[in-house]
Amino acid sequence: MAWSLMAQAAVPCNKPLYLTFDTGHMGVAPLVAEVLNRQQVKVTFFAAHEPTQEGDGTLGEHWAAWWRARGAEGHAFASHTYDHVYWRADQPQGRWLMRASAGPKKGLVESWDAAQYCQELQRANTRLQQLTGQKPLPLFRAPGGKTSPSLLAAAKQCGFAHVGWADAGFLGDELPSDKYPNALLLKRALKSIRSGDILMAHLGIWSRQDPWAPTVLEPLVEGLKAKGFCFATLRDHPQYNAWTH
């Protein structure tokens, strides 16, 4: 039996997928962790300090034990900007209009320079390392995936590469459930996802009435495994090897 398990573990991942989760209200976070453990799937978490259904925010003390457990399990972590700050527009002289959707400046539109943006990216990574005991990846995901070439260039200058998602990897958990029911999202994902795709979901979406994760996550993972796919963190994504190793 031990040999069988070792042989199974040694099988190379020839059709990799890269499942990622952005933070959210954390209502489904315990369930997500349970499914990932049961399915033995490692993922990459992009974290910001966002409001939660309970506790003091996604990166607050209330959820510290949850993050610590994910670190011990071998998941990967990266910045989603600390205050979930959206790029709004480029400005002259290497500046941008930015709008935080969390934190003390929630809702304010401000003009930022590269140093401010780099500090914001690093704030999330610093907190993640405190919580997980693991060094986060030098990657980030801009809230909403909204960026510009100059913003991406500035982030790279301070050591962060941006990670989006594949078209098929948009799992739809933030779409309205009346128009995009869970059964439709599951069927669409199983039909469209291809090897190498980066997949994206959230740890809870305030606006969706019928939560995605309780119904879709485990059937999706099982269905993709049945198609011969396997799961890896972004540590092993070939596009980001130069950044993560």
Short mmCIF file of all heavy atoms in Angstrom, two decimals, residues 27-74:
data_model
loop_
_atom_site.label_atom_id
_atom_site.label_comp_id
_atom_site.label_asym_id
_atom_site.label_seq_id
_atom_site.Cartn_x
_atom_site.Cartn_y
_atom_site.Cartn_z
N GLY A 27 -17.24 33.61 3.73
CA GLY A 27 -18.31 32.72 4.18
C GLY A 27 -18.14 31.28 3.73
O GLY A 27 -18.59 30.35 4.41
N VAL A 28 -17.50 31.08 2.58
CA VAL A 28 -17.29 29.72 2.07
C VAL A 28 -15.87 29.23 2.31
O VAL A 28 -15.51 28.14 1.89
CB VAL A 28 -17.63 29.63 0.57
CG1 VAL A 28 -19.09 29.97 0.31
CG2 VAL A 28 -16.72 30.53 -0.26
N ALA A 29 -15.05 30.02 3.00
CA ALA A 29 -13.64 29.65 3.18
C ALA A 29 -13.48 28.30 3.89
O ALA A 29 -12.65 27.48 3.45
CB ALA A 29 -12.90 30.75 3.92
N PRO A 30 -14.21 28.01 4.97
CA PRO A 30 -14.05 26.69 5.60
C PRO A 30 -14.41 25.55 4.66
O PRO A 30 -13.72 24.52 4.61
CB PRO A 30 -15.00 26.75 6.80
CG PRO A 30 -15.10 28.21 7.12
CD PRO A 30 -15.08 28.89 5.78
N LEU A 31 -15.48 25.72 3.88
CA LEU A 31 -15.87 24.68 2.93
C LEU A 31 -14.82 24.50 1.85
O LEU A 31 -14.48 23.38 1.48
CB LEU A 31 -17.22 25.04 2.30
CG LEU A 31 -17.72 24.09 1.22
CD1 LEU A 31 -19.23 23.89 1.34
CD2 LEU A 31 -17.39 24.59 -0.18
N VAL A 32 -14.29 25.60 1.33
CA VAL A 32 -13.24 25.52 0.30
C VAL A 32 -12.04 24.73 0.84
O VAL A 32 -11.52 23.84 0.16
CB VAL A 32 -12.81 26.93 -0.15
CG1 VAL A 32 -11.52 26.88 -0.96
CG2 VAL A 32 -13.92 27.59 -0.97
N ALA A 33 -11.62 25.04 2.05
CA ALA A 33 -10.48 24.34 2.64
C ALA A 33 -10.78 22.84 2.79
O ALA A 33 -9.91 22.00 2.52
CB ALA A 33 -10.14 24.95 3.99
N GLU A 34 -11.99 22.53 3.18
CA GLU A 34 -12.41 21.12 3.36
C GLU A 34 -12.34 20.36 2.04
O GLU A 34 -11.81 19.25 1.96
CB GLU A 34 -13.83 21.13 3.92
CG GLU A 34 -14.35 19.80 4.39
CD GLU A 34 -15.78 19.96 4.93
OE1 GLU A 34 -15.99 20.76 5.86
OE2 GLU A 34 -16.66 19.30 4.37
N VAL A 35 -12.87 20.98 0.98
CA VAL A 35 -12.86 20.33 -0.34
C VAL A 35 -11.44 20.16 -0.84
O VAL A 35 -11.07 19.08 -1.35
CB VAL A 35 -13.69 21.15 -1.35
CG1 VAL A 35 -13.49 20.62 -2.76
CG2 VAL A 35 -15.17 21.12 -0.97
N LEU A 36 -10.61 21.18 -0.72
CA LEU A 36 -9.23 21.08 -1.20
C LEU A 36 -8.47 20.00 -0.46
O LEU A 36 -7.69 19.25 -1.06
CB LEU A 36 -8.52 22.44 -1.04
CG LEU A 36 -9.10 23.60 -1.85
CD1 LEU A 36 -8.32 24.88 -1.57
CD2 LEU A 36 -9.12 23.30 -3.35
N ASN A 37 -8.71 19.88 0.84
CA ASN A 37 -8.07 18.82 1.62
C ASN A 37 -8.53 17.44 1.17
O ASN A 37 -7.73 16.53 0.96
CB ASN A 37 -8.39 19.00 3.10
CG ASN A 37 -7.27 19.70 3.85
OD1 ASN A 37 -6.10 19.47 3.56
ND2 ASN A 37 -7.62 20.55 4.78
N ARG A 38 -9.84 17.31 1.02
CA ARG A 38 -10.39 16.01 0.65
C ARG A 38 -9.92 15.58 -0.73
O ARG A 38 -9.63 14.42 -0.97
CB ARG A 38 -11.92 16.09 0.70
CG ARG A 38 -12.62 14.77 0.48
CD ARG A 38 -14.04 14.77 0.99
NE ARG A 38 -14.82 15.91 0.50
CZ ARG A 38 -15.38 16.83 1.29
NH1 ARG A 38 -15.23 16.76 2.60
NH2 ARG A 38 -16.10 17.82 0.79
N GLN A 39 -9.82 16.54 -1.65
CA GLN A 39 -9.42 16.24 -3.02
C GLN A 39 -7.90 16.28 -3.23
O GLN A 39 -7.42 16.00 -4.32
CB GLN A 39 -10.09 17.22 -3.98
CG GLN A 39 -11.60 17.09 -4.04
CD GLN A 39 -12.04 15.79 -4.68
OE1 GLN A 39 -11.32 15.19 -5.47
NE2 GLN A 39 -13.22 15.33 -4.32
N GLN A 40 -7.18 16.66 -2.17
CA GLN A 40 -5.71 16.77 -2.24
C GLN A 40 -5.29 17.69 -3.40
O GLN A 40 -4.43 17.34 -4.22
CB GLN A 40 -5.08 15.38 -2.38
CG GLN A 40 -5.16 14.56 -1.11
CD GLN A 40 -4.41 15.21 0.06
OE1 GLN A 40 -3.19 15.26 0.05
NE2 GLN A 40 -5.14 15.71 1.04
N VAL A 41 -5.90 18.87 -3.45
CA VAL A 41 -5.62 19.87 -4.47
C VAL A 41 -4.93 21.06 -3.82
O VAL A 41 -5.39 21.57 -2.79
CB VAL A 41 -6.93 20.32 -5.16
CG1 VAL A 41 -6.72 21.58 -5.97
CG2 VAL A 41 -7.45 19.20 -6.05
N LYS A 42 -3.83 21.48 -4.40
CA LYS A 42 -3.12 22.68 -3.94
C LYS A 42 -3.47 23.85 -4.87
O LYS A 42 -3.50 23.69 -6.09
CB LYS A 42 -1.61 22.46 -3.94
CG LYS A 42 -1.16 21.30 -3.08
CD LYS A 42 -1.51 21.48 -1.63
CE LYS A 42 -0.97 20.34 -0.79
NZ LYS A 42 -2.01 19.68 0.02
N VAL A 43 -3.69 25.02 -4.28
CA VAL A 43 -4.12 26.19 -5.04
C VAL A 43 -3.27 27.38 -4.65
O VAL A 43 -2.44 27.32 -3.73
CB VAL A 43 -5.62 26.50 -4.78
CG1 VAL A 43 -6.48 25.29 -5.06
CG2 VAL A 43 -5.84 27.00 -3.35
N THR A 44 -3.50 28.49 -5.35
CA THR A 44 -2.85 29.75 -5.03
C THR A 44 -3.92 30.74 -4.57
O THR A 44 -4.92 30.93 -5.27
CB THR A 44 -2.10 30.31 -6.24
OG1 THR A 44 -1.17 29.32 -6.72
CG2 THR A 44 -1.35 31.59 -5.88
N PHE A 45 -3.70 31.34 -3.41
CA PHE A 45 -4.62 32.33 -2.86
C PHE A 45 -4.06 33.73 -3.08
O PHE A 45 -2.92 34.02 -2.70
CB PHE A 45 -4.82 32.12 -1.36
CG PHE A 45 -5.55 30.85 -1.00
CD1 PHE A 45 -4.85 29.73 -0.57
CD2 PHE A 45 -6.93 30.78 -1.07
CE1 PHE A 45 -5.50 28.56 -0.23
CE2 PHE A 45 -7.61 29.61 -0.74
CZ PHE A 45 -6.90 28.50 -0.32
N PHE A 46 -4.85 34.60 -3.71
CA PHE A 46 -4.51 36.02 -3.83
C PHE A 46 -5.32 36.77 -2.78
O PHE A 46 -6.55 36.76 -2.81
CB PHE A 46 -4.86 36.54 -5.23
CG PHE A 46 -3.94 36.02 -6.30
CD1 PHE A 46 -4.23 34.87 -7.00
CD2 PHE A 46 -2.75 36.69 -6.59
CE1 PHE A 46 -3.38 34.38 -7.98
CE2 PHE A 46 -1.90 36.22 -7.57
CZ PHE A 46 -2.20 35.06 -8.27
N ALA A 47 -4.62 37.43 -1.85
CA ALA A 47 -5.30 37.97 -0.68
C ALA A 47 -5.20 39.47 -0.56
O ALA A 47 -4.13 40.06 -0.75
CB ALA A 47 -4.75 37.32 0.59
N ALA A 48 -6.33 40.08 -0.25
CA ALA A 48 -6.43 41.47 0.17
C ALA A 48 -7.13 41.48 1.53
O ALA A 48 -7.71 40.47 1.95
CB ALA A 48 -7.23 42.29 -0.84
N HIS A 49 -7.08 42.60 2.22
CA HIS A 49 -7.73 42.71 3.53
C HIS A 49 -9.13 43.28 3.33
O HIS A 49 -9.35 44.48 3.46
CB HIS A 49 -6.90 43.58 4.46
CG HIS A 49 -7.39 43.60 5.88
ND1 HIS A 49 -7.81 42.46 6.53
CD2 HIS A 49 -7.54 44.62 6.77
CE1 HIS A 49 -8.19 42.78 7.76
NE2 HIS A 49 -8.05 44.07 7.92
N GLU A 50 -10.07 42.39 3.00
CA GLU A 50 -11.43 42.79 2.64
C GLU A 50 -12.41 42.57 3.79
O GLU A 50 -12.16 41.75 4.68
CB GLU A 50 -11.89 42.00 1.42
CG GLU A 50 -11.03 42.18 0.19
CD GLU A 50 -11.58 41.41 -0.99
OE1 GLU A 50 -12.72 41.70 -1.41
OE2 GLU A 50 -10.89 40.49 -1.48
N PRO A 51 -13.55 43.26 3.77
CA PRO A 51 -14.58 43.01 4.78
C PRO A 51 -15.10 41.58 4.70
O PRO A 51 -15.16 40.98 3.62
CB PRO A 51 -15.69 44.01 4.41
CG PRO A 51 -15.02 45.05 3.59
CD PRO A 51 -13.91 44.36 2.86
N THR A 52 -15.47 41.04 5.85
CA THR A 52 -15.93 39.65 5.93
C THR A 52 -17.27 39.56 6.64
O THR A 52 -17.69 40.49 7.32
CB THR A 52 -14.91 38.81 6.70
OG1 THR A 52 -14.56 39.48 7.93
CG2 THR A 52 -13.64 38.60 5.89
N GLN A 53 -17.93 38.42 6.46
CA GLN A 53 -19.22 38.20 7.11
C GLN A 53 -19.06 38.13 8.63
O GLN A 53 -19.95 38.52 9.37
CB GLN A 53 -19.87 36.91 6.60
CG GLN A 53 -20.41 37.02 5.18
CD GLN A 53 -21.08 35.75 4.72
OE1 GLN A 53 -20.86 34.67 5.27
NE2 GLN A 53 -21.90 35.85 3.69
N GLU A 54 -17.95 37.59 9.07
CA GLU A 54 -17.65 37.55 10.50
C GLU A 54 -16.16 37.83 10.69
O GLU A 54 -15.34 37.52 9.85
CB GLU A 54 -18.03 36.21 11.12
CG GLU A 54 -17.33 35.02 10.50
CD GLU A 54 -17.69 33.72 11.20
OE1 GLU A 54 -18.20 33.77 12.33
OE2 GLU A 54 -17.46 32.65 10.62
N GLY A 55 -15.85 38.47 11.81
CA GLY A 55 -14.46 38.75 12.10
C GLY A 55 -14.02 40.12 11.62
O GLY A 55 -14.83 40.96 11.20
N ASP A 56 -12.71 40.35 11.67
CA ASP A 56 -12.13 41.67 11.45
C ASP A 56 -11.45 41.80 10.09
O ASP A 56 -10.43 42.47 9.94
CB ASP A 56 -11.12 41.97 12.57
CG ASP A 56 -10.11 40.84 12.77
OD1 ASP A 56 -10.32 39.74 12.21
OD2 ASP A 56 -9.13 41.04 13.49
N GLY A 57 -12.01 41.16 9.07
CA GLY A 57 -11.45 41.25 7.72
C GLY A 57 -10.67 40.01 7.34
O GLY A 57 -10.24 39.22 8.19
N THR A 58 -10.45 39.83 6.05
CA THR A 58 -9.83 38.61 5.55
C THR A 58 -8.45 38.34 6.12
O THR A 58 -8.07 37.19 6.32
CB THR A 58 -9.74 38.66 4.00
OG1 THR A 58 -9.23 39.94 3.61
CG2 THR A 58 -11.08 38.45 3.36
N LEU A 59 -7.68 39.40 6.35
CA LEU A 59 -6.32 39.22 6.88
C LEU A 59 -6.23 39.63 8.35
O LEU A 59 -5.14 39.90 8.86
CB LEU A 59 -5.32 40.02 6.04
CG LEU A 59 -5.23 39.61 4.55
CD1 LEU A 59 -4.23 40.47 3.81
CD2 LEU A 59 -4.88 38.13 4.42
N GLY A 60 -7.37 39.66 9.03
CA GLY A 60 -7.41 40.00 10.44
C GLY A 60 -7.14 38.80 11.32
O GLY A 60 -6.95 37.67 10.85
N GLU A 61 -7.19 39.03 12.62
CA GLU A 61 -6.87 37.96 13.57
C GLU A 61 -7.92 36.85 13.57
O GLU A 61 -7.62 35.69 13.85
CB GLU A 61 -6.72 38.54 14.98
CG GLU A 61 -5.43 39.32 15.17
CD GLU A 61 -4.20 38.49 14.82
OE1 GLU A 61 -4.09 37.34 15.29
OE2 GLU A 61 -3.36 38.99 14.05
N HIS A 62 -9.18 37.20 13.28
CA HIS A 62 -10.24 36.18 13.29
C HIS A 62 -9.91 35.02 12.35
O HIS A 62 -10.18 33.87 12.67
CB HIS A 62 -11.58 36.81 12.91
CG HIS A 62 -12.71 35.83 12.89
ND1 HIS A 62 -13.46 35.54 14.01
CD2 HIS A 62 -13.22 35.05 11.88
CE1 HIS A 62 -14.38 34.64 13.70
NE2 HIS A 62 -14.25 34.33 12.42
N TRP A 63 -9.33 35.35 11.18
CA TRP A 63 -9.05 34.32 10.19
C TRP A 63 -7.59 33.85 10.21
O TRP A 63 -7.17 33.09 9.33
CB TRP A 63 -9.41 34.84 8.79
CG TRP A 63 -10.91 34.94 8.63
CD1 TRP A 63 -11.68 36.05 8.77
CD2 TRP A 63 -11.80 33.85 8.36
NE1 TRP A 63 -13.01 35.74 8.59
CE2 TRP A 63 -13.11 34.40 8.35
CE3 TRP A 63 -11.63 32.49 8.14
CZ2 TRP A 63 -14.24 33.61 8.10
CZ3 TRP A 63 -12.75 31.71 7.90
CH2 TRP A 63 -14.03 32.26 7.88
N ALA A 64 -6.84 34.25 11.22
CA ALA A 64 -5.41 33.91 11.25
C ALA A 64 -5.18 32.39 11.27
O ALA A 64 -4.31 31.88 10.56
CB ALA A 64 -4.75 34.56 12.46
N ALA A 65 -5.97 31.67 12.06
CA ALA A 65 -5.79 30.22 12.14
C ALA A 65 -6.10 29.55 10.80
O ALA A 65 -5.46 28.56 10.42
CB ALA A 65 -6.67 29.65 13.25
N TRP A 66 -7.09 30.08 10.09
CA TRP A 66 -7.45 29.52 8.78
C TRP A 66 -6.27 29.67 7.82
O TRP A 66 -5.89 28.72 7.13
CB TRP A 66 -8.68 30.24 8.24
CG TRP A 66 -9.26 29.63 7.01
CD1 TRP A 66 -10.22 28.66 6.93
CD2 TRP A 66 -8.90 29.93 5.63
NE1 TRP A 66 -10.49 28.34 5.62
CE2 TRP A 66 -9.69 29.11 4.80
CE3 TRP A 66 -7.99 30.82 5.06
CZ2 TRP A 66 -9.60 29.14 3.41
CZ3 TRP A 66 -7.89 30.85 3.67
CH2 TRP A 66 -8.69 30.03 2.86
N TRP A 67 -5.66 30.86 7.78
CA TRP A 67 -4.52 31.07 6.89
C TRP A 67 -3.31 30.22 7.31
O TRP A 67 -2.61 29.66 6.46
CB TRP A 67 -4.13 32.55 6.87
CG TRP A 67 -5.10 33.42 6.15
CD1 TRP A 67 -5.96 34.33 6.68
CD2 TRP A 67 -5.33 33.47 4.73
NE1 TRP A 67 -6.70 34.95 5.71
CE2 TRP A 67 -6.33 34.44 4.50
CE3 TRP A 67 -4.78 32.80 3.64
CZ2 TRP A 67 -6.80 34.74 3.22
CZ3 TRP A 67 -5.23 33.10 2.36
CH2 TRP A 67 -6.23 34.06 2.17
N ARG A 68 -3.10 30.12 8.61
CA ARG A 68 -1.97 29.33 9.10
C ARG A 68 -2.11 27.87 8.66
O ARG A 68 -1.13 27.24 8.23
CB ARG A 68 -1.88 29.45 10.61
CG ARG A 68 -0.62 28.83 11.22
CD ARG A 68 -0.39 29.36 12.62
NE ARG A 68 -1.55 29.18 13.50
CZ ARG A 68 -2.30 30.20 13.97
NH1 ARG A 68 -2.00 31.45 13.67
NH2 ARG A 68 -3.33 29.96 14.76
N ALA A 69 -3.32 27.35 8.72
CA ALA A 69 -3.56 25.96 8.30
C ALA A 69 -3.32 25.78 6.81
O ALA A 69 -2.75 24.77 6.38
CB ALA A 69 -4.99 25.55 8.66
N ARG A 70 -3.70 26.76 6.01
CA ARG A 70 -3.47 26.65 4.56
C ARG A 70 -1.97 26.69 4.26
O ARG A 70 -1.50 26.00 3.35
CB ARG A 70 -4.17 27.78 3.81
CG ARG A 70 -5.66 27.95 4.06
CD ARG A 70 -6.52 26.81 3.58
NE ARG A 70 -6.51 25.66 4.45
CZ ARG A 70 -7.19 25.56 5.62
NH1 ARG A 70 -7.87 26.59 6.08
NH2 ARG A 70 -7.15 24.45 6.32
N GLY A 71 -1.23 27.47 5.01
CA GLY A 71 0.22 27.49 4.83
C GLY A 71 0.84 26.14 5.14
O GLY A 71 1.72 25.66 4.41
N ALA A 72 0.37 25.52 6.21
CA ALA A 72 0.90 24.21 6.60
C ALA A 72 0.57 23.14 5.57
O ALA A 72 1.30 22.15 5.43
CB ALA A 72 0.35 23.82 7.97
N GLU A 73 -0.52 23.33 4.84
CA GLU A 73 -0.94 22.33 3.85
C GLU A 73 -0.18 22.44 2.53
O GLU A 73 -0.29 21.57 1.68
CB GLU A 73 -2.44 22.49 3.58
CG GLU A 73 -3.31 22.05 4.75
CD GLU A 73 -4.72 22.63 4.71
OE1 GLU A 73 -5.05 23.37 3.74
OE2 GLU A 73 -5.48 22.37 5.65
N GLY A 74 0.56 23.52 2.34
CA GLY A 74 1.38 23.63 1.14
C GLY A 74 0.78 24.43 0.00
O GLY A 74 1.26 24.34 -1.14
#
